[in-house]
Amino acid sequence: DHPAFGNWEREYIKKAADPQKAAKTYYASITDLDEQVGKILDALDEAGQASNTIVIFSSDNGPEDYTTHSARNAGLGSPGPFRARKRSHYDGGVRVPLLVRWPGHVPAGSTDTTSLLNAVDFAPTLAALAKAKLPPGYQSDGEDFSAALASGAIHHREKPMFWEWLFPVTGNPEQYQPPLLAIRSGGWKLLFNPDGSRTELYDLSSDPEERTNLAEKHPDKVADLKMKALAWQGTLPPNRHRTNWS
């Protein structure tokens, strides 16, 4: 019942069939992962390559849900105070930790809880750090955040971040199942179905748990973000699930 877990996690953990048994397996896995990553870092130190190697550790999504039959022992990870889990683009499904180790370049022990980064940012960022040129004509949805890594300064994002989800979500459908498209710009996050059946707007700066839908109060913001998200979706390859999604 740690306060950092937030209301969504408290509601989730109450429904676990045997949380203590699952926790033993989950924490054993985390401990083993920590030991194995430690061996890699030690090897870099021993080889004298630590300062010449950028190590980035993250996750591709939020924690698994124990209602997934094949992952009952993996469902004890916590999204903190955020809504939903893996397979959802509410923040509990897409907001994950990012650890970077690069001795002599990235300030040790520094923490940044403000910069907005996305997986699509890695290509321009790593290319900049390696002084490598991206292919001619390459266009990225991402941004170069290398300056923020080197100085510890906040990265003020200019490009929105986008998500599309085409399948049902495991777990509580009311809490986890998002509308089809999502866009985040600054502190605002819009989730909506193109057919107009659901529209949800959240101000994450004051409502990080995504509980208060502000769509009716800010129709201009909804229209602006919706236009940008639909334009982005129009650049995606055809997908048979997109037309059948409901």
Side-chain angles (χ1 to χ4, degrees):
D1 194 32
H2 193 282
F5 286 168
N7 295 320
W8 292 117
E9 179 68 8
R10 292 191 187 96
E11 294 169 13
Y12 167 82
I13 204 67
K14 289 177 182 177
K15 300 174 183 177
D18 190 347
Q20 290 187 343
K21 179 181 179 182
K24 290 179 180 179
T25 303
Y26 176 77
Y27 292 127
S29 298
I30 295 298
T31 299
D32 182 62
L33 176 65
D34 184 59
E35 291 180 353
Q36 302 310 319
V37 172
K39 292 178 181 179
I40 295 173
L41 300 183
D42 289 344
L44 290 172
D45 290 338
E46 294 169 4
Q49 293 298 319
S51 63
N52 194 40
T53 306
I54 305 170
V55 177
I56 299 176
F57 186 93
S58 187
S59 173
D60 60 341
N61 48 246
E64 181 60 273
D65 193 290
Y66 60 72
T67 57
T68 302
H69 179 75
S70 61
R72 289 179 178 172
N73 289 331
L76 265 291
S78 172
F82 307 113
R83 179 176 181 173
R85 307 176 72 79
K86 181 178 179 179
R87 304 179 189 86
S88 178
H89 51 226
Y90 289 117
D91 262 23
V94 299
R95 182 166 174 165
V96 296
L98 174 70
L99 307 178
V100 180
R101 184 204 193 225
W102 193 16
H105 301 274
V106 175
S110 60
T111 302
D112 180 357
T113 60
T114 304
S115 298
L116 296 178
L117 310 178
N118 194 292
V120 295
D121 299 326
F122 286 134
T125 299
L126 295 176
L129 292 172
K131 296 181 172 55
K133 292 184 179 181
L134 292 168
Y138 172 80
Q139 294 183 347
S140 174
D141 289 330
E143 297 181 352
D144 172 11
F145 64 89
S146 58
L149 289 179
S151 65
I154 295 171
H155 177 69
H156 297 284
R157 188 177 196 87
E158 296 182 4
K159 296 181 179 180
M161 297 191 293
F162 301 97
W163 297 268
E164 180 185 51
W165 186 256
L166 301 171
F167 308 98
V169 173
T170 300
N172 187 316
E174 182 180 347
Q175 295 178 1
Y176 295 0
Q177 181 70 59
L180 174 60
L181 287 173
I183 172 175
R184 177 165 181 177
S185 180
W188 292 102
K189 186 174 178 184
L190 177 73
L191 305 95
F192 68 99
N193 289 335
D195 65 5
S197 57
R198 286 177 66 186
T199 301
E200 301 173 19
L201 178 69
Y202 300 102
D203 180 0
L204 299 185
S205 61
S206 60
D207 180 26
E209 292 193 11
E210 296 172 286
R211 288 183 177 270
T212 305
N213 184 0
L214 300 175
E216 293 186 359
K217 292 185 177 180
H218 298 277
D220 292 344
K221 179 62 67 174
V222 169
D224 176 59
L225 295 178
K226 184 177 291 188
M227 178 183 66
K228 293 175 180 176
L230 289 173
W232 170 79
Q233 186 194 42
T235 67
L236 301 179
N239 190 303
R240 63 185 177 86
H241 296 287
R242 188 176 294 123
T243 56
N244 296 329
W245 189 91
S246 60

